[in-house]
Amino acid sequence: MSTETVEQPTGFFEAAPLTFDRAEGWRYFRAPGEVYQRDGIWFLTSHAAVRFAHQHPEIFSSAKAFDNLGSPVTLIPLAVDPPDHVRYRRLLDPLFAPRVIGAIEPELRRQVREIIGAFADRGSCDVMEDLANLFPTQVFLTLFGLPLEDRDTFIDWVRTIVEAPGSTASDGATPEAAAAGAALFGYLQDFIVAKRAHPGDDVLSTILAMSGDDAFSDDEVLGLCFLFTLAGLDTVTAVIGFVLARLAGDGELRQRVVDDPDLTGPVIEEILRLELPAPFTPRVVLSDVEVCGVTIPAGSFVFLVLASANREDRDNADDIDLAQADRGHLSFGGGIHRCLGSHLARRELRIVVEELHRMIPAYSVAEGYVPRIHWPSGTLHLTSLPITFPVRSPASGGA
Amino acid sequence: MRVVVDSGVCTGHGRCYALVPELFEDDEWGHSSVRGDGEITEAQRPQAGRAVAACPERAITILD
């Protein structure tokens, strides 16, 4: 690591040692205290502090936190505070409930097998490029009834927007991100018009068909689609990478999960607890508020550090412990803004691991490669994950 | 002995019905409700406790 060229960090946030080791990085954020301010940003790092904010959405505004992202429409339902928020979730939660996702699972499994099949006989691949980047976008396109052939264009837009510097801080968007945002907007706008005219059997058509008091305006649907693409693609991509990096880097753990597929859920939960794609939830405090004995003044910009809150309720909290995997975590947030796509995300992760293990049960990180994340960034993901695996010759049979 | 879900606190993480489907079920919104009247036997207590610990919102309570 000493041979890496590292740019001089500019502030407390940017200087966090997260690139190679999240355990060290989250200790860095937790060390100054449960509630503290650095460079104009307040950090809430303990479980108690984060939960307090989750339980008081009337004080910790999500709407205000997303005001200055340069989005021309409101990101629904994330950037909406109570009382309006409840209306959107009442209408949207049923579209992302487990029973709905179960209905498209066979199709999603087919798509994953196709993606894995494209590299299964190569003996090596880059998990990020060849799998993790592709599948979540295909899921979104499938769910929303959009053409799968637009996948790669879509991925480029979202990557440009999400990876732009300042995408979670308050410095607005870069010109590249603004251009990608405009292109994505135009694309979605065209589809909203087309789907209003010719509805299909998909989530987008269902939303557009809501009528009377429940009806969504075009701007509301756009805000919704825009949020889904920003919050639902890069994040699942990231966790697929984190899960497979852990399994590829720990042959014993991987073998346990291959031998006992019932451990797939628990291992995913533990890696979700430790490796968060969206570890910082932005909020703006609407009135002076005391959290864990510290007063945060009205108007303050706050990060709820979900990642450090996840690491304090047990011994050896930095390690995967399958026996304690049931005990919950805050990686999908909490309170009224609990990730709308959490059921979908969990299903996607399980499908990827199960299908990969059927087709490629033994794999490891390419020799000499040390996985690292792109940092600083609003969302965390591995830059690359080269793996190698034995190629099963057709003659050797197998199931 | 009963297990109850506070519907005002549940936000639909869905861990309880994923882990302990014999005691909890999902509704149209993906939120949780107890099956039947929520009466549980002593033998079911560990399962109910598992759901209590799994709930990120602490929405589940066992009433003796």
Side-chain angles (χ1 to χ4, degrees), chain A residues 312-331:
Chain A
E312 65 177 36
D313 69 333
R314 61 189 84 180
D315 296 333
N316 305 316
D318 293 333
D319 300 331
I320 290 175
D321 182 351
L322 296 184
Q324 302 209 56
D326 286 0
R327 285 181 51 189
H329 55 71
L330 299 176
S331 301

Side-chain angles (χ1 to χ4, degrees), chain A residues 116-171:
Chain A
I116 297 169
F119 58 75
D121 60 358
R122 288 210 316 246
S124 67
C125 77
D126 184 326
V127 166
M128 301 312 292
E129 286 305 313
D130 297 324
L131 172 60
N133 268 327
L134 310 182
F135 183 54
T137 298
Q138 289 195 193
V139 173
F140 171 78
L141 295 173
T142 303
L143 206 57
F144 276 62
L146 305 175
L148 281 183
E149 56 264 32
D150 293 338
R151 181 190 73 190
D152 295 345
T153 312
F154 223 88
I155 290 170
D156 283 343
W157 287 331
V158 172
R159 197 181 284 182
T160 307
I161 297 165
V162 172
E163 289 187 3
S167 58
T168 59
S170 43
D171 18 313

Side-chain angles (χ1 to χ4, degrees), chain A residues 51-88:
Chain A
R51 285 299 296 151
F52 182 85
H54 283 164
Q55 287 159 345
H56 293 90
E58 75 286 359
I59 301 172
F60 292 84
S61 170
S62 190
K64 281 265 184 278
F66 290 94
D67 257 3
N68 44 10
L69 268 187
S71 172
V73 291
T74 305
L75 297 173
I76 290 171
L78 179 61
V80 183
D81 286 339
D84 297 340
H85 177 266
V86 68
R87 167 185 171 249
Y88 291 118

Side-chain angles (χ1 to χ4, degrees), chain B residues 8-33:
Chain B
V9 177
C10 173
T11 60
H13 291 262
R15 300 314 294 150
C16 57
Y17 56 74
L19 294 168
V20 193
E22 55 274 32
L23 296 183
F24 303 90
E25 60 189 338
D26 59 319
D27 66 15
E28 182 191 345
W29 289 270
H31 286 209
S32 169
S33 55

